[in-house]
Amino acid sequence: MGKLDGRVVIVTGAARGQGEQEARLFAAEGAKVAVADVLDEQGRRWPRSWARSTCTWTWGGGRLGRGGRGGQGAYGRIDGLVNNAGILRFNSLVDTPLEEFMQVVRVNQVGCFLGIKTVASAMEDGGTIVNTASYTAVTGMAAVGTYTATKHAILGLTRVAALELASRRIRVNAVCPGAVDTAMSNPARLDPDADPEEMTRALDELYRKLVPLGRIGRADEVARLALFLTSDDSSYITGQPFVIDGGWLAGVSVI
């Protein structure tokens, strides 16, 4: 038996990276998964390639309300949500245009808010919501100030939602990944002429100096944490951030 047998879960930002790995793992653990992303063509392609009976594409063009209704319409219920979709922009705060700031806020912060608002009202009592925050939600990082601000906000949304939804036994938690080998940190994964594995090796070498465990994280490792928070293994946990960063937040060794 899988850890999510009989459950229906929506995963946003599921066309690639962490969201794709989460959707694949959840389906392997018995869930019916409604995958969602604004990358419509890419998102429609991969579920049909491996899990026709357990996955459906519900959301294109950024309409999360459609995703919530689509998941419920396809399977008759909603038991879980993974708010994974997000974007990153590099800039110093003083050089960040307002338009860029608002773009990141709309996708990361407002997207998370809309996910909670839309899905919780249709969710079965006893459901789960997992919000993707970040290592930067609990510390600062230069050059990604807008991203950091939105991830701090996601932790606030997580805690408030956990309090307000507890009476329905809906648990709300946040995963806080450090650097993870996805297209966000490894753009070679988007370039058909590049070698993403070569870039992964370079990233591992870079993070060997920054992270106690000596490498960049993998998307499947974050997916396993999201599975834990979605399954009954975490039945008495709500309102909490879970950092998964290879020990980066613990500090930097000087020797």
Side-chain angles (χ1 to χ4, degrees):
M1 294 180 63
K3 292 187 175 184
L4 301 179
D5 280 351
R7 292 175 60 84
V8 176
V9 183
I10 298 172
V11 181
T12 71
R16 66 188 184 202
Q18 286 177 190
E20 178 181 351
Q21 291 301 312
E22 287 159 353
R24 289 180 182 273
L25 178 60
F26 284 23
E29 289 289 342
K32 302 290 187 181
V33 184
V35 297
D37 205 302
V38 295
L39 301 175
D40 201 47
E41 181 178 352
Q42 186 173 351
R44 288 182 184 278
R45 183 171 61 249
W46 76 256
R48 291 197 299 267
S49 70
W50 65 277
R52 184 183 300 271
S53 64
T54 58
C55 281
T56 185
W57 183 256
T58 66
W59 172 41
R63 296 186 295 275
L64 187 53
R66 177 181 164 190
R69 292 192 300 272
Q72 188 177 31
Y75 298 123
R77 57 187 289 156
I78 300 174
D79 302 290
L81 167 67
V82 179
N83 262 322
N84 171 74
I87 61 173
L88 172 67
R89 298 290 183 268
F90 291 95
N91 224 332
S92 68
L93 279 177
V94 296
D95 293 326
T96 300
L98 178 60
E99 181 180 358
E100 178 181 296
F101 184 90
M102 295 306 299
Q103 179 191 29
V104 178
V105 167
R106 282 193 297 270
V107 175
N108 294 3
Q109 182 176 334
V110 177
C112 181
F113 161 72
L114 290 175
I116 295 169
K117 178 180 175 67
T118 302
V119 174
S121 62
M123 184 176 288
E124 297 290 316
D125 287 359
T128 57
I129 297 174
V130 177
N131 297 320
T132 300
S134 168
Y135 161 94
T136 66
V138 291
T139 187
M141 183 178 290
V144 291
T146 304
Y147 179 84
T148 298
T150 62
K151 296 302 183 177
H152 273 70
I154 286 172
L155 282 194
L157 289 170
T158 297
R159 289 166 173 147
V160 172
L163 293 171
E164 294 183 352
L165 297 173
S167 63
R168 293 179 52 200
R169 295 177 291 104
I170 294 175
R171 298 185 294 105
V172 188
N173 291 291
V175 296
C176 300
V180 179
D181 187 8
T182 65
M184 185 176 284
S185 56
N186 184 353
R189 296 194 175 278
L190 300 178
D191 184 351
D193 298 321
D195 181 357
E197 300 310 316
E198 180 180 351
M199 178 61 75
T200 295
R201 291 190 289 272
L203 289 169
D204 279 343
E205 181 60 24
L206 170 65
Y207 283 96
R208 182 182 65 80
K209 304 171 184 178
L210 295 175
V211 176
L213 289 186
R215 61 172 175 83
I216 194 170
R218 298 335 191 223
D220 65 289
E221 294 173 311
V222 181
R224 290 196 293 272
L225 176 56
L227 172 64
F228 168 73
L229 294 173
T230 302
S231 74
D232 288 341
D233 289 345
S234 58
S235 59
Y236 197 55
I237 299 173
T238 194
Q240 302 304 313
F242 286 79
V243 177
I244 176 169
D245 69 346
W248 197 359
L249 191 64
V252 177
S253 175
V254 296
I255 58 174

